[in-house]
């Protein structure tokens, strides 16, 4: 039995997207591929509000997250950490042999502009990493305010992960001045995993020229050179790029504003439901994610049991990430999901909670 995915990634994929992936294969050095590639990257630029280069990498998000660090950290990197993915990014930065410091907020707290200002004011850093939407905790850090602070530090390249937020709300990459914006596609984009997208500003590409040890697979300069021919350095996941092409058309057909509103509505519904049913919310109001809700287990439900019972009913449910397992649960509301999907899973949860009480 297929379990309908309510976990924060991978998420449910529309049947027409799966069909698009069955499109007959083409060679990546054939003109047909260049045409597909240019169409997709142009649409991505529109979605990301940038005229800068946008590249397609065949990997999960962490491939490019590692690649960005290898390409863009010259002197020392400030890694801002407030959950599992951002903590890991710091370890990845160190594993790449880079000098780096972690600036940590508690899990459930955002990264604040003040934290970023204090760290960068030391003058020690030429690069920083930030996760916009910490999927492990359902916390969305205030990107516009942080971007404002970054303007004071033109020597610092900003590397921002929008894996679980891009397309769910407006993220104007160029206006924000993000030098490298990265996302994978199995979360907010509702595509099967295996493709990552990233933008690179001119100054990011200039920096890469001065940084040794970029490797090959994620060398930004290789991507830039291939991009001149609407291509990728090595063979891309063409089937997924077909899927991305269709998904972008579907996003524009829905309308970006409508898509943002749908996410805001779903988030509001899920937060209300949690609070009306005896649960709390891990994040403070301004920092609650629009793509997933992380509820605190205030009523002391056996979440492992809930996960099992929902599984038997055909729903994949998340009972907390890492050290938050059992203490929180997360419900995704991203990609193609609709309010009706949330009503479906919450109705099941209500039945299970009621049966528990009886
Ligand atoms: C899922 C996730 C990642 C990791 O992505 P992979 O595709 O598994 O490499 C990184 N950052 C965030 C915010 C995520 O949600």
């Amino acid at each position: 039995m297929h379990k309908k995915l309510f976990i924060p990634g991978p998420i449910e994929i529309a049947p027409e997207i799966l069909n698009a992936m069955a499109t007959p294969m083409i060679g990546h050095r054939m003109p047909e591929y260049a045409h597909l590639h240019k169409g997709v990257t142009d649409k991505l630029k529109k979605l990301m509000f940038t005229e800068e280069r946008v590249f397609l990498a065949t990997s999960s998000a962490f491939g490019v997250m590692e690649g960005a660090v290898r390409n863009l950290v010259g002197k020392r990197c400030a890694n801002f950490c407030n959950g599992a993915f951002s903590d890991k990014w710091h370890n990845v930065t160190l594993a790449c042999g880079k000098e780096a410091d972690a600036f940590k907020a508690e899990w459930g707290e955002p990264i604040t502009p003040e934290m970023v200002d204090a760290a960068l004011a030391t003058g020690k850093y030429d690069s920083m990493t930030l996760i916009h939407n910490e999927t492990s905790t359902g916390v969305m850090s205030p990107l516009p305010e942080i971007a404002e602070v970054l303007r004071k530090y033109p020597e610092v390249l900003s590397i921002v992960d929008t894996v679980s937020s891009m397309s769910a709300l407006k993220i104007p990459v160029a206006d924000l001045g993000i030098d490298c914006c990265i996302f994978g596609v199995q979360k907010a984009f509702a595509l099967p995993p295996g493709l990552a997208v990233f933008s690179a500003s001119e100054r990011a590409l200039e920096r890469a020229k001065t940084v040794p040890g970029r490797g090959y697979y994620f060398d930004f300069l290789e991507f830039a050179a291939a991009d001149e021919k609407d291509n990728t350095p090595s063979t891309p996941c063409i089937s997924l790029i077909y899927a991305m092409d269709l998904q972008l058309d579907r996003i524009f057909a829905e309308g970006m504003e409508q898509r943002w509103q749908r996410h805001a509505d779903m988030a509001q519904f899920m937060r209300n439901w949690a609070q009306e049913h005896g649960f709390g919310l891990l994040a403070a109001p301004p920092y609650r994610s629009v793509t997933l809700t992380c509820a605190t287990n205030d009523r002391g439900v056996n979440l492992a049991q809930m996960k099992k019972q929902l599984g038997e009913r055909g729903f994949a449910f998340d009972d907390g990430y890492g050290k938050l397992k059992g203490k929180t649960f997360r419900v995704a509301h991203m990609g193609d999901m609709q309010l009706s999907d949330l009503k479906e899973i919450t109705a099941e949860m209500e039945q299970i909670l009621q049966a528990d009480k009886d």
Side-chain angles (χ1 to χ4, degrees):
M1 178 184 61
H2 171 67
K3 287 189 188 127
K4 185 165 169 176
L5 301 177
F6 284 88
I7 56 174
I11 66 166
E12 279 306 294
I13 314 292
E16 56 211 278
I17 293 292
L18 294 174
N19 280 339
M21 291 192 67
T23 307
M25 200 39 53
I26 51 175
H28 67 299
R29 302 302 186 219
M30 285 163 57
E32 288 83 349
Y33 177 75
H35 180 75
L36 171 68
H37 186 102
K38 176 145 183 27
V40 168
T41 49
D42 282 350
K43 289 173 205 174
L44 283 166
K45 288 175 192 179
K46 180 176 164 198
L47 182 101
M48 296 166 77
F49 298 92
T50 184
E51 306 279 305
E52 283 162 354
R53 310 257 212 134
V54 170
F55 303 115
L56 304 176
T58 295
S59 74
S60 82
F62 257 111
V64 180
M65 291 161 76
E66 172 169 319
V69 165
R70 290 187 69 177
N71 278 268
L72 305 180
V73 180
K75 192 168 69 174
R76 197 174 185 94
C77 185
N79 300 120
F80 292 92
C81 303
N82 62 334
F85 293 105
S86 41
D87 287 355
K88 187 161 160 191
W89 208 355
H90 174 58
N91 295 337
V92 167
T93 307
L94 296 175
C96 290
K98 300 293 184 178
E99 304 281 335
D101 297 302
F103 294 89
K104 297 203 175 211
E106 290 298 320
W107 282 34
E109 300 286 332
I111 300 300
T112 63
E114 293 75 24
M115 267 176 84
V116 174
D117 204 5
L120 301 186
T122 62
K124 283 159 71 177
Y125 305 100
D126 67 354
S127 46
M128 60 87 80
T129 67
L130 172 76
I131 291 192
H132 176 219
N133 190 61
E134 239 306 345
T135 319
S136 59
T137 58
V139 171
M140 206 168 244
S141 290
L143 191 51
E145 288 80 0
I146 291 171
E148 208 41 56
V149 166
L150 289 171
R151 287 184 208 288
K152 286 169 55 184
Y153 305 98
E155 73 285 7
V156 178
L157 292 182
S158 51
I159 312 170
V160 179
D161 163 326
T162 58
V163 171
S164 57
S165 54
M166 182 56 77
S167 85
L169 71 168
K170 186 171 185 181
I171 305 177
V173 171
D175 280 357
L176 292 170
I178 301 171
D179 290 292
C180 179
C181 180
I182 301 167
F183 57 91
V185 301
Q186 75 273 25
K187 292 181 187 163
F189 265 78
L191 294 174
L195 173 65
V197 175
F198 65 106
S199 68
S201 65
E202 272 316 308
R203 57 189 207 135
L205 293 173
E206 285 306 311
R207 168 75 61 79
K209 288 180 189 162
T210 70
V211 178
R214 298 187 305 276
Y216 165 70
Y217 195 71
F218 291 108
D219 181 352
F220 283 15
L221 302 181
E222 293 278 351
F223 275 90
D227 182 62
E228 297 292 335
K229 294 179 278 181
D230 296 314
N231 222 304
T232 51
S234 47
T235 318
C237 47
I238 296 170
S239 304
L240 265 169
I241 296 171
Y242 277 129
M244 172 62 99
D245 193 33
L246 178 61
Q247 190 65 319
L248 286 161
D249 288 343
R250 294 171 85 233
I251 289 171
F252 296 130
E254 179 182 13
M256 283 199 273
E257 306 261 351
Q258 284 78 1
R259 185 178 176 87
W260 303 332
Q261 189 59 48
R262 174 166 58 81
H263 282 81
D265 293 343
M266 291 192 296
Q268 197 54 54
F269 172 87
M270 203 55 224
R271 293 168 197 156
N272 290 347
W273 184 88
Q275 291 181 308
E276 283 159 11
H277 289 80
F279 300 103
L281 296 168
L282 186 64
Y287 310 116
R288 288 174 188 159
S289 170
V290 299
T291 56
L292 74 148
T293 292
C294 184
T296 52
N297 189 11
D298 294 3
R299 68 186 263 183
V301 171
N302 182 340
L303 291 176
Q305 171 111 346
M306 170 89 97
K307 175 178 172 174
K308 185 164 167 285
Q309 287 173 311
L310 283 166
E312 287 159 5
R313 292 164 180 241
F315 298 90
F317 169 81
D318 174 274
D319 60 341
Y321 193 106
K323 64 187 183 191
L324 295 176
K325 196 171 271 303
K327 299 193 181 88
T328 62
F329 65 85
R330 299 178 302 162
V331 176
H333 30 81
M334 56 178 87
D336 295 332
M337 292 173 80
Q338 304 290 333
L339 211 45
S340 55
D341 296 307
L342 294 178
K343 288 180 179 161
E344 199 184 347
I345 192 164
T346 51
E348 299 287 339
M349 290 169 76
E350 282 169 32
Q351 282 180 16
I352 292 169
L353 290 170
Q354 188 57 42
D356 239 23
K357 262 210 266 166
D358 295 343

